[in-house]
Amino acid sequence: FRSLAYDGIGIIVNTSNKVNAMGIQEIKKIYTGNTVDWGKINGESEPIIPVAFKDKLNSIEQEFDIKVKDTPVKEQMRNSMKYVSSMEEMKNFVAQNKNSIGFLPGQWYTKETKFLKLSGIEITISNLKNNLYSLRFPIKMYYSKEKEESLKDFFQYFKSDDGKKIIRKYCIEAF
């Protein structure tokens, strides 16, 4: 495989939520059922609705499991978990439910989406590039060794300015 870019997993909440930042341990406690009420975080006593992806093969879900829930320890996800099938559904559910929390790739940032700072660090190109944002992950391209020589020009193109422009449409940072 070859890494082509980086993206980050942005933790999202409804825009009316007063929380602006969280640490990994706080997020883990929410997703494992140890913290079930926003009162412990922002003072407003409301039930937290964590949102995750149904498909465990979803690469964002896999990265989230590894980096937040410490899988393969596999802590039990809470019973009140809301499951969604797509990035769009995640974004829309959190936007329409003031007590929800979810996660999206950083590339999905819009003005209508509130990304939390992670331990005080924003999900930005600079913070991803400098490895400051902890929920960063590489975008990889897999291929067979036999094809490596024939893909040389292809990989060279992705290192060019034009190639990086294409990658940045879908990821936060190109190599």
Side-chain angles (χ1 to χ4, degrees), residues 66-82:
I66 291 165
K67 293 191 166 61
V68 175
K69 293 188 303 183
D70 296 329
T71 318
V73 171
K74 294 197 182 181
E75 292 195 45
Q76 190 61 34
M77 302 254 303
R78 35 188 297 193
N79 294 337
S80 62
M81 185 77 60
K82 165 69 177 162

Side-chain angles (χ1 to χ4, degrees), residues 20-142:
N20 292 310
M22 270 191 201
I24 293 285
Q25 289 307 312
E26 286 177 293
I27 297 163
K28 179 178 179 171
K29 286 178 183 176
I30 289 170
Y31 275 89
T32 56
N34 296 310
T35 300
V36 297
D37 193 285
W38 283 111
K40 292 184 177 183
I41 299 168
N42 69 3
E44 291 183 22
S45 188
E46 296 281 347
I48 299 173
I49 305 167
V51 188
F53 294 99
K54 283 181 200 170
D55 184 358
K56 291 296 176 188
L57 297 178
N58 176 305
S59 61
I60 300 301
E61 182 72 37
Q62 289 175 348
E63 288 291 333
F64 185 81
D65 285 355
I66 291 165
K67 293 191 166 61
V68 175
K69 293 188 303 183
D70 296 329
T71 318
V73 171
K74 294 197 182 181
E75 292 195 45
Q76 190 61 34
M77 302 254 303
R78 35 188 297 193
N79 294 337
S80 62
M81 185 77 60
K82 165 69 177 162
Y83 290 97
V84 296
S85 299
S86 68
M87 306 290 180
E88 194 67 37
E89 192 179 348
M90 173 75 77
K91 185 179 81 160
N92 291 337
F93 184 86
V94 172
Q96 294 165 9
N97 293 273
K98 71 175 188 142
N99 295 320
S100 60
I101 183 169
F103 51 95
L104 287 171
Q107 69 188 14
W108 278 74
Y109 175 79
T110 65
K111 287 181 219 154
E112 296 81 39
T113 310
K114 182 177 179 180
F115 277 60
L116 298 180
K117 290 181 182 176
L118 197 57
S119 302
I121 307 289
E122 287 184 79
I123 183 171
T124 64
I125 291 171
S126 174
N127 288 338
L128 286 169
K129 198 177 207 174
N130 294 311
N131 205 12
L132 298 174
Y133 188 82
S134 60
L135 290 182
R136 168 182 111 132
F137 63 97
I139 305 297
K140 300 174 184 172
M141 179 177 208
Y142 291 88

